[in-house]
Amino acid sequence: MITKGDKILSVTIKQATAEGGVDVDPAALFAGKKVVMFSLPGAFTPTCSQKHLPGYVEKLPELKAAGVDLVACLSVNDMFVMKAWAEQAGALGKIVMLADGSAAFTKALGIELDLTQRGLCIRANRGVFTIDDGVVTSVEMEAPGQFEVSGADACLIGLKK
């Protein structure tokens, strides 16, 4: 699993935008920026839709005031689902929605979560990463079934340390 001090690896995935999906390399996207990227199991799932993404949309001004240039949401979903979810959640154009349809970036980070027994296939484990100019400065991963360390409030506390 990726840890503090590691560089973000170059992988091409999709970013859901108002115009549709565009190819994006997170390593290039994050270069020269302070980034908060949160990962989650899936769009439209209960905790992700009721707490995780909405918390980052709500706290975006505070995150920006804390020096964050870009907030990204990573999920193993296709770009169409990520776009629809972002529209529904008021995140489109605010949060960078990273659609990792084949889990390539998720696997490169070492944060894959096998939910095939629950009918959800390979997904991203819930967590949050702070990245400065492509180098990971903090990693907070949730224990299975938990939502304690990766939400926007916890992220803001971490940024102030």
Side-chain angles (χ1 to χ4, degrees), residues 38-63:
F38 61 103
S39 59
L40 43 79
F44 295 108
T45 57
T47 301
C48 302
S49 290
Q50 295 166 7
K51 297 178 183 177
H52 216 169
L53 179 58
Y56 280 95
V57 172
E58 178 186 335
K59 299 293 183 178
L60 186 60
E62 291 175 58
L63 290 160

Side-chain angles (χ1 to χ4, degrees), residues 1-2 8-9 37 74 104-112 129:
M1 187 179 90
I2 197 158
I8 295 294
L9 299 173
M37 179 180 72
L74 172 66
F105 188 42
T106 298
K107 289 177 182 177
L109 295 171
I111 62 166
E112 64 270 18
F129 309 81

Side-chain angles (χ1 to χ4, degrees), residues 88-101:
Q88 186 259 357
L92 196 62
K94 298 175 184 173
I95 307 291
V96 174
M97 303 298 283
L98 298 176
D100 190 14

